[in-house]
Amino acid sequence: MVVPSAAPASEEMFRRAERVVPGGVNSPVRAFRAVGGSPRFMVSGDGPYLTDVDGRTYVDLVCSWGPMILGHAHPAVVEAVSRAVAAGTSFGTPTPGEVELAELIVERVGPVEKVRLVNSGTEATMSAVRLARGFTGRSTIIKFAGCYHGHVDALLAAAGSGLATFGLPDTPGVTGTATADTIVLPYNDLALVEAVFAERGDTIAAVITEAAAANMGVVPPLPGFNGGLRRLCDIHGALLILDEVMTGFRISRAGWWGIEGDLEDWSPDLFTFGKVMGGGLPAAAFGGRADVMSKLAPAGPVYQAGTLSGNPIAVAAGLATLRACTDEVYATVDARAGDVAGIVSTALTEQGVAHVPASAGSLFSFFFTDATTVIDYAGAQVQNTARYAAFFHSMLDAGIYLPPSAFEAWFVSAAHDDAVLERIAAAAPAAARAAAAVPDVTPASSASSVAGGA
Ligand SMILES: *Cc1c(COP(=O)(O)O)cnc(C)c1O
């Protein structure tokens, strides 16, 4: 592994952090444990760049794990947030901005008739699962291995020992009771989902799936997978929850559904959103069919609430961001994602580094493996993570900030320009050489058993 070049101010800050914060970070992947070294502490962002406490500037290919689709400190977002802050930070009452944001989401994503705002993607999926259970009067949830839906207890489940057996806790602290109604199946295996439905379809409240899986590296749904889930849910009276927390308002105006569901003429019953729709502040949402959403309190019996839900500053950031997300922005993000993926893949190929380039719309990642394709979590885990670590650190030293784990998607923004591409192109060959220098013996996977978790 490349010895990380010194970053004394970050290292000092990390030592301080470790004394008072578990692992020194407020979300695990930030700690760099998957790639080694110590994390960089950032002090500011501007367009496609981040600046750390040592005064170094990096091209940012994480973009806050998705939200910063316009780049950092976009003038329209900064202005909207500043105005909102000056008008008071929270009222605990309804506000006009919440209605405007809900209207914008409903307008953009056809099948969403009603939407409720929450504070994180985790809250959105937790609430959608509760609502699906309340609506159907059933208990069982099907989820897919490697799909991450936030740290909801019932969804931090690992596969049981056989077909249609119930999930086991995937982390200490989650009880067997919490996962006892969760069935975990391999991603992209529609036949298995069909078999489980055949066996116990009348107990299944919902299937929850990432619209395109991007928390085990990027693994797009095989053609017909999402549509097939829709069909099976219809046959058996279950709800389909499409988790678009990462893909929503990033892949297109209407997320992944906007390019696949709309085209194939299927819709989920419920969507979950987050990341881009908060514009970098804590805002998320779940929404969908009016008859389902109307079961939520106070309209209906299913309880759900939040002191800061629909917070006026978060809503202002989200509104300004979505309003600026024009067709041109999506075209730019698509093009830049393709450019960066091409530069990196070419550099790896030139150095003979085996890899599978993976993408779903403008989300992309690379599996450092000899395999020709990756379609599920088992496939994603068989990769040479030490090679990724070497690649990561060489890029970091050259001022390119990549996801600090081989199991995360890469993100670009509309602010990523030609100058950024040149910097990446200049850095990639040396990073590919560093990866090539790591032996071919694939070490035991260093993946956490829990996928995702930015
Ligand atoms: C990030 C993410 C979540 C969790 O969102 P948080 O805001 O981190 O709680 C849920 N689902 C998907 C698909 C995500 O990518």
Side-chain angles (χ1 to χ4, degrees):
M1 188 181 299
V2 175
V3 179
S5 55
S10 275
E11 278 159 26
E12 168 58 18
M13 193 55 71
F14 193 47
R15 274 191 295 275
R16 277 176 60 191
E18 281 185 301
R19 283 199 283 272
V20 288
V21 179
V25 293
N26 285 308
S27 201
V29 76
R30 298 178 193 171
F32 277 25
R33 295 209 175 182
V35 290
S38 67
R40 302 298 153 91
F41 282 67
M42 301 300 174
V43 292
S44 65
D46 181 19
Y49 300 109
L50 288 173
T51 300
D52 71 10
V53 289
D54 288 286
R56 283 203 216 155
T57 296
Y58 304 82
V59 170
D60 182 14
L61 291 175
V62 177
C63 294
S64 188
W65 303 100
M68 312 319 297
I69 191 170
L70 302 173
H72 296 283
H74 186 277
V77 179
V78 171
E79 212 237 282
V81 169
S82 306
R83 232 182 311 117
V85 169
T89 53
S90 183
F91 311 128
T93 70
T95 58
E98 294 164 75
V99 184
E100 290 173 44
L101 184 53
E103 285 172 347
L104 200 53
I105 292 169
V106 166
E107 179 207 308
R108 278 184 167 234
V109 188
V112 177
E113 296 174 312
K114 287 187 188 227
V115 61
R116 174 149 295 170
L117 302 184
V118 293
N119 305 289
S120 70
T122 295
E123 255 187 273
T125 59
M126 176 185 77
S127 305
V129 164
R130 182 186 308 144
L131 178 58
R133 286 171 166 162
F135 181 81
T136 58
R138 300 173 177 182
S139 303
T140 305
I141 302 293
I142 292 177
K143 83 167 287 277
F144 299 102
C147 282
Y148 178 68
H149 305 290
H151 59 102
V152 179
D153 281 19
L155 301 175
L156 288 177
S161 56
L163 172 64
T165 54
F166 287 98
L168 304 171
D170 208 12
T171 168
V174 169
T175 63
T177 308
T179 58
D181 290 319
T182 307
I183 294 177
V184 184
L185 298 176
Y187 191 59
N188 271 326
D189 189 341
L190 195 59
L192 214 45
V193 184
E194 191 157 10
V196 170
F197 264 110
E199 196 168 300
R200 53 175 90 232
D202 61 347
T203 68
I204 295 168
V207 175
I208 184 167
T209 187
E210 283 189 61
N215 281 290
M216 50 174 146
V218 175
V219 181
L222 290 173
F225 181 68
N226 284 339
L229 296 179
R230 171 71 280 170
R231 183 175 50 80
L232 290 170
C233 286
D234 279 341
I235 292 170
H236 296 278
L239 300 189
L240 178 62
I241 304 171
L242 198 67
D243 184 351
E244 294 238 34
V245 170
M246 186 181 287
T247 49
F249 315 108
R250 174 164 270 280
I251 301 286
S252 79
R253 295 176 63 82
W256 181 264
W257 177 85
I259 54 172
E260 193 192 45
D262 205 11
L263 199 74
E264 297 176 359
D265 202 22
W266 57 263
S267 301
D269 303 289
L270 293 173
F271 289 84
T272 53
F273 302 114
K275 299 195 169 105
V276 168
M277 66 153 283
L281 272 83
F286 62 107
R289 273 169 52 187
D291 60 330
V292 178
M293 291 300 290
S294 298
K295 292 284 187 251
L296 276 181
V302 179
Y303 191 70
Q304 191 278 331
T307 301
L308 294 178
S309 292
N311 172 269
I313 302 162
V315 163
L319 272 174
T321 298
L322 290 189
R323 283 176 180 149
C325 282
T326 57
D327 291 342
E328 196 188 345
V329 161
Y330 290 110
T332 303
V333 168
D334 279 351
R336 292 298 177 256
D339 291 339
V340 175
I343 290 167
V344 169
S345 192
T346 299
L348 292 172
T349 301
E350 280 175 4
Q351 296 304 322
V353 179
H355 67 285
V356 174
S359 66
S362 58
L363 295 175
F364 60 98
S365 68
F366 306 88
F367 294 101
F368 284 62
T369 170
D370 296 323
T372 51
T373 178
V374 173
I375 62 161
D376 58 18
Y377 194 40
Q381 283 177 297
V382 184
Q383 56 169 324
N384 191 329
T385 53
R387 281 200 172 150
Y388 182 78
F391 186 84
F392 169 89
H393 277 293
S394 179
M395 293 294 270
L396 188 72
D397 291 347
I400 316 288
Y401 191 82
L402 305 182
S405 160
F407 297 92
E408 302 286 355
W410 300 29
F411 300 87
V412 300
S413 79
H416 284 62
D417 56 10
D418 289 343
V420 161
L421 294 179
E422 279 165 31
R423 247 175 103 164
I424 296 169
R433 275 195 297 281
V438 174
D440 196 17
V441 281
T442 303
S445 161
S446 64
S448 152
S449 63
V450 180

